Amino acid sequence: MIIKKVTRNIRQIDADTVKSNPLSIAFILFSLVVIYYANQFPDGGEIGAGFFPIMLSVGIILFAIVDLATDDETELDLSDVDVAPIVIVSGILFAYVFLMPYTGFLVGTMLFLPTVLYYSDVRSKLLIGAISIGFPILLFYVFSRIFLVRLPESQILPVSRLLPQLPLVVL
Amino acid sequence: MAVEHILQGFANVMDPVVLILMITGIFLGLLMGSIPGMTATMTIAVLLSFTFTMEPATGMMLLLGIYGGAVYAGSIPAILIRTPGTPSAAATIFDGYPLSQKGEAGRAIRISTVASFVGGIISVLVLMFFSPVVADAALRFRSPEFFALAVFGLTIIASVSGDSLAKGMVSGLLGMLVATVGIDPVTGYQRFTFGIPELLTGVEFIAVMIGLFGIAEGLRTYSLGISDEQDRVNQKITGVLPSFADVKSIAPVSIGSGILGSLVGAVPGAGGDIASFITYNEATRWLKNTTPSFGDGNIRGVAAAESGNNASTGGALIPTFTLGIPGDSVSAILIGALLVHDVNPGPALYQEETGLLYTIFVGFLLIYVFILIFGLLGANYWARLINIPQSLIWPVIFVLCVIGAIALRGNVFDAWIMLAAGGLGYVMRLRGYPLAPMVLGLILAPIAEENLRRSLVLSNGSLDIFYTSPIALVVLLLSVAALLVPAARALRS
């Protein structure tokens, strides 16, 4: 009985199912690319470097097909999702990381925070100013003087050199 | 001798720096757990970078403080505004919120605090005395058994971590696939590195975790509309200690739920949310004729749920420390924290790092003592934390995510990995894929691959080695059952 249901479910996969579950298709295609690449890895005796990635990719393909054949209701209702904030917040984050080598951590974060805070509807200038300046400086001292972790420093604007040196507190 | 180790552990946690970090962790956990939408997993992932340069025991105290504090504090918004601070506090709403509506929020929070303490202490005691026995048995395990355990860990986690088993498995296998990037440990061949030197040592899985739990969650919050219009807490919490009658009334259910919650927590994948629902359900079965009834503001309902979810914390560390298989997503991150310091969880840990383990055990006990003290003394203040707007929290979390990824190896490349993982995690969550199996896949992949290949080399490529070992056979059969039972149930329905 269960086998009949499985075959019936697999037969029911049609263009609409595929369209409504693009991620499963993306995972299948991705796995096929991985199998193609992994096939070219050298054998290396009994089991080569490609054996495990191929096995995992085959597993992904099988379960993605099962997912396509299964009518579940685990997806979020996409009508609730607003795409604009994702694009904007992702864009700001992307710019923050991209500019980090040029701006350094301090300046980059001092530019990032007010932008995101303002976008998040925070309108108090005092609050935006305090968080945007105070938080990066606090983090800078915590990481550089306590954890001894060097954060990216701008070659153009080495702002951290202007800050007073605090004693080392190594944990 | 265990007593010597316990005393040594006690001496280690009495170090002022360790105590300060432990208390800092508890406060951070209380802060983040009190704010709906901020989970213990996310908080620990985002703040993991603070522990990179610390001694392993010191770092673990900070992280375990966050863990215990957040799991406890999740009950506060559950009681006050009917919104669990963390998923594991969902069952606390059933009786906590009705108590709050009756004007007894303070009483509910005090009950929750005492029950959390009881559950947490029981779970750490179970961890302390039961895990060495498991580790001792696991010392006899060889490659086939470890491969079987890794497979079992993945299947059980995928089957309990979401509504769709197939999505859970895809997520877990994808995590395992990501973990294959880098130099192949056996042949030395560069897999999927595309000439990028940073990928030679593999994808930094901590960066992936930060992306999955920090960035993905943040993007989800923004996409659903970041709102500061959550219910505000205006009720003043007065009083400090619960009444003797209340403590006497909840004592049996707290102890029973603590033991049950520890056992449920020890099952890989069954985190605090599952533990609290099971203990709450069992309490309603054991105590049928109580007044008020369950769901109508019964303090024993609050105690059952809170003792259960806090008990899962110590329980989850049993498979984590003894087998290297994470009990839940938080313990997966804790494994990451240990690996950063070249400490490999598994049975050998109990022989090689006894001092570290007992420091963690004693420290975790002390954390629950502090939670009891801070929870009772500061209930009114923690309740106010719910009013902190998310619009202030998320920008700060984004910065912590980026700095956490950069601090891993001191380069921006890991921040890109973190952002990519965040984007993928967001899309996967949108389509209903659970993220916990992916993280667990990242952890389990090296164990599975190394032991599979070693087993096959030992057996000259024959699969006999997996069914001639009774333990490996039983564990693999359990893995198959973990896949087939929910699948058959879904097909029948």
Side-chain angles (χ1 to χ4, degrees):
Chain A
M1 191 183 91
I2 288 175
I3 293 169
K4 270 186 189 170
K5 277 193 176 179
V6 171
T7 45
R8 195 180 63 209
N9 276 351
I10 291 175
R11 274 197 209 120
Q12 279 173 350
I13 299 175
D14 55 16
D16 286 341
T17 323
V18 170
K19 269 186 202 164
S20 67
N21 207 341
L23 212 50
S24 289
I25 301 300
F27 287 144
I28 291 171
L29 293 174
F30 173 72
S31 300
L32 289 172
V33 173
V34 171
I35 291 172
Y36 171 76
Y37 270 103
N39 247 327
Q40 298 169 10
F41 294 168
D43 259 1
E46 292 286 342
I47 304 145
F51 174 74
F52 202 61
I54 290 172
M55 211 177 73
L56 295 173
S57 303
V58 170
I60 292 174
I61 292 170
L62 285 176
F63 283 105
I65 291 170
V66 171
D67 189 30
L68 278 173
T70 318
D71 180 27
D72 65 57
E73 292 172 358
T74 51
E75 288 98 352
L76 193 74
D77 184 359
L78 294 181
S79 59
D80 290 342
V81 178
D82 194 355
V83 179
I86 296 303
V87 175
I88 293 168
V89 174
S90 306
I92 298 170
L93 271 167
F94 185 91
Y96 176 43
V97 174
F98 181 77
L99 293 173
M100 183 80 80
Y102 309 103
T103 59
F105 169 76
L106 272 175
V107 175
T109 308
M110 285 174 185
L111 293 172
F112 170 79
L113 275 173
T115 316
V116 184
L117 283 166
Y118 190 82
Y119 180 72
S120 308
D121 265 350
V122 179
R123 290 291 179 266
S124 162
K125 284 175 189 159
L126 185 71
L127 201 57
I128 292 177
I131 294 174
S132 304
I133 296 169
F135 188 61
I137 292 177
L138 174 75
L139 278 182
F140 175 79
Y141 277 123
V142 167
F143 274 87
S144 66
R145 308 310 289 173
I146 299 176
F147 301 142
L148 302 178
V149 173
R150 272 176 66 92
L151 296 173
E153 177 61 285
S154 166
Q155 298 304 313
I156 311 158
L157 289 166
V159 179
S160 65
R161 288 179 205 167
L162 304 175
L163 294 174
Q165 286 282 311
L166 292 183
L168 286 174
V169 187
V170 183
L171 295 177
Chain B
M1 183 66 197
V3 177
E4 286 167 21
H5 296 314
I6 292 169
L7 289 174
Q8 185 57 49
F10 187 75
N12 291 344
V13 296
M14 282 299 128
D15 182 291
V17 173
V18 174
L19 282 174
I20 289 169
L21 284 168
M22 190 189 284
I23 292 169
T24 307
I26 295 169
F27 278 108
L28 287 169
L30 287 168
L31 167 69
M32 299 301 266
S34 299
I35 301 170
M38 307 289 160
T39 62
T41 315
M42 189 207 69
T43 311
I44 293 176
V46 166
L47 296 176
L48 191 59
S49 59
F50 286 78
T51 66
F52 292 160
T53 55
M54 293 178 191
E55 288 293 314
T58 315
M60 287 298 281
M61 287 302 105
L62 177 75
L63 299 177
L64 289 174
I66 297 171
Y67 189 16
V71 172
Y72 155 67
S75 68
I76 298 172
I79 290 166
L80 291 168
I81 59 168
R82 209 170 176 267
T83 307
T86 53
S88 61
T92 311
I93 291 175
F94 300 144
D95 285 285
Y97 187 63
L99 275 166
S100 179
Q101 281 182 309
K102 290 176 190 170
E104 295 183 33
R107 185 181 175 215
I109 290 176
R110 285 191 288 276
I111 292 296
S112 153
T113 310
V114 173
S116 298
F117 166 73
V118 174
I121 291 287
I122 289 173
S123 79
V124 182
L125 291 175
V126 169
L127 168 70
M128 193 186 277
F129 294 107
F130 188 60
S131 67
V133 182
V134 178
D136 196 38
L139 272 174
R140 291 176 208 109
F141 288 7
R142 295 172 306 128
S143 311
E145 287 84 8
F146 274 110
F147 169 70
L149 277 171
V151 173
F152 176 68
L154 186 72
T155 52
I156 192 89
I157 286 155
S159 65
V160 298
S161 61
D163 295 329
S164 165
L165 172 70
K167 283 188 165 74
M169 283 306 293
V170 169
S171 176
L173 292 169
L174 205 60
M176 291 180 97
L177 196 55
V178 171
T180 62
V181 174
I183 293 176
D184 173 32
V186 178
T187 62
Y189 187 77
Q190 294 178 21
R191 296 190 293 199
F192 312 115
T193 53
F194 307 107
I196 301 168
E198 286 90 345
L199 287 179
L200 286 176
T201 50
V203 172
E204 273 294 339
F205 66 85
I206 291 174
V208 177
M209 285 182 199
I210 297 172
L212 290 178
F213 292 114
I215 298 292
E217 197 57 43
L219 291 178
R220 187 170 176 273
T221 306
Y222 276 90
S223 71
L224 295 173
I226 191 158
S227 167
D228 292 338
E229 290 165 8
Q230 69 218 36
D231 294 333
R232 295 185 74 79
V233 176
N234 298 313
Q235 207 173 140
K236 191 160 173 61
I237 314 293
T238 52
V240 173
L241 294 173
S243 71
F244 181 70
D246 278 355
V247 173
K248 197 176 158 194
S249 165
I250 63 159
V253 77
S254 299
I255 294 169
S257 300
I259 296 167
L260 183 60
S262 303
L263 298 176
V264 174
V267 177
D273 41 352
I274 292 174
S276 66
F277 276 108
I278 289 177
T279 52
Y280 181 83
N281 190 43
E282 288 307 307
T284 59
R285 286 201 318 131
W286 294 336
L287 308 161
K288 276 186 180 145
N289 302 313
T290 53
T291 312
S293 56
F294 282 98
D296 200 22
N298 190 324
I299 55 169
R300 281 180 277 194
V302 175
E306 278 305 302
S307 177
N309 65 21
N310 281 276
S312 74
T313 58
L317 294 179
I318 296 175
T320 307
F321 288 155
T322 57
L323 305 170
I325 291 177
D328 59 5
S329 44
V330 172
S331 46
I333 300 172
L334 295 178
I335 287 184
L338 288 172
L339 290 176
V340 166
H341 297 285
D342 287 330
V343 177
N344 290 301
L349 192 69
Y350 282 74
Q351 295 187 320
E352 293 163 7
E353 298 282 357
T354 321
L356 168 66
L357 275 175
Y358 279 87
T359 304
I360 290 172
F361 296 157
V362 176
F364 210 8
L365 275 178
L366 199 58
I367 282 167
Y368 275 105
V369 174
F370 280 131
I371 286 173
L372 177 73
I373 297 167
F374 299 147
L376 291 175
L377 290 177
N380 192 36
Y381 304 104
W382 314 134
R384 306 284 145 193
L385 294 176
I386 299 169
N387 296 337
I388 295 177
Q390 293 215 3
S391 53
L392 292 180
I393 297 283
W394 277 110
V396 167
I397 289 176
F398 285 146
V399 172
L400 288 172
C401 287
V402 172
I403 200 174
I406 290 173
L408 275 168
R409 294 188 288 189
N411 67 41
V412 179
F413 181 80
D414 291 324
W416 288 115
I417 294 281
M418 185 268 303
L419 283 186
L424 177 67
Y426 168 70
V427 177
M428 284 175 69
R429 275 209 68 181
L430 209 63
R431 303 302 310 182
Y433 288 83
L435 299 183
M438 192 172 183
V439 171
L440 302 163
L442 279 164
I443 301 271
L444 293 174
I447 303 173
E449 181 174 20
E450 197 184 316
N451 289 293
L452 170 69
R453 290 170 77 173
R454 195 179 292 160
S455 304
L456 291 175
V457 167
L458 285 172
S459 68
N460 290 322
S462 165
L463 293 173
D464 293 3
I465 196 163
F466 296 109
Y467 56 83
T468 49
S469 153
I471 297 171
L473 181 65
V474 168
V475 176
L476 285 173
L477 287 175
L478 283 172
S479 311
V480 174
L483 286 178
L484 290 184
V485 171
R489 201 180 296 145
L491 279 167
R492 257 195 217 110
S493 64

